[in-house]
Amino acid sequence: MTPQNTAVDPQATASLATRANASGASILSTVQSVLEDSKAEDIITIDLDGKSALADTMIIASGRSHRHVSAVADHVQRALKEAGHGSPRVEGLPHADWVLIDTGDVILHLFRPEVRSFYNMEKLWDDSFAETLGSDTPNA
């Protein structure tokens, strides 16, 4: 058996990284758009790129009730599938207190306001990572 050349082509790696970043940006744009259209509240975007291996971006948002959280989660799932991003992994949908949608590049946490206040996910991450959707200033 002869050893095969295992050298990595830097151009191919860069191209793959560019496509992955474009896909992640497209997923992020889709999720943000659906959240706004579905009237999700208190939308926070946290940039995890280079800070965590979990995902590139985490979004935390609230719905007004169980039904609203469930409907927003359903809209996000359908929009991602229709945009060609496949079906994300979803947890917590039956109870709709806290729904987690994991696309790989973007993790979305949807909460009822009382549950969000209890878990206070924003405080788990340094405030310098958090940014209110549509704002360039970090949250205090």
Side-chain angles (χ1 to χ4, degrees), residues 122-123 127-128 130 132 137-140:
E122 294 89 336
K123 293 297 178 185
D127 286 337
S128 64
T132 303
T137 58
N139 289 338

Side-chain angles (χ1 to χ4, degrees), residues 6-140:
T6 58
V8 176
D9 179 5
Q11 289 179 339
T13 303
S15 174
L16 183 60
T18 301
R19 283 192 306 249
N21 288 341
S23 174
S26 176
I27 291 169
L28 178 60
S29 175
T30 299
V31 171
Q32 288 174 329
S33 176
V34 172
L35 290 174
E36 288 176 4
D37 292 347
S38 299
K39 301 196 182 335
E41 300 174 345
D42 302 321
I43 302 167
I44 302 291
T45 301
I46 302 171
D47 181 11
L48 301 177
D49 192 28
K51 297 166 186 74
S52 174
L54 292 174
D56 293 334
T57 307
M58 181 180 298
I59 300 175
I60 303 171
S62 297
R64 294 179 301 278
S65 65
H66 294 279
R67 185 170 288 184
H68 188 221
V69 169
S70 179
V72 172
D74 183 56
H75 292 159
V76 169
Q77 289 178 75
R78 281 188 293 163
L80 287 168
K81 193 168 187 175
E82 289 170 5
H85 299 299
S87 297
R89 290 172 298 284
V90 180
E91 297 289 334
L93 196 52
H95 301 291
D97 283 328
W98 174 2
V99 177
L100 180 130
I101 299 176
D102 184 356
T103 69
D105 292 328
V106 176
I107 296 174
L108 170 62
H109 294 275
L110 287 169
F111 291 98
R112 280 188 315 103
E114 307 81 40
V115 177
R116 181 175 179 170
S117 176
F118 178 80
Y119 287 105
N120 204 3
M121 292 276 299
E122 294 89 336
K123 293 297 178 185
L124 292 176
W125 300 93
D126 182 12
D127 286 337
S128 64
F129 297 158
E131 160 178 318
T132 303
L133 185 64
S135 169
D136 293 330
T137 58
N139 289 338

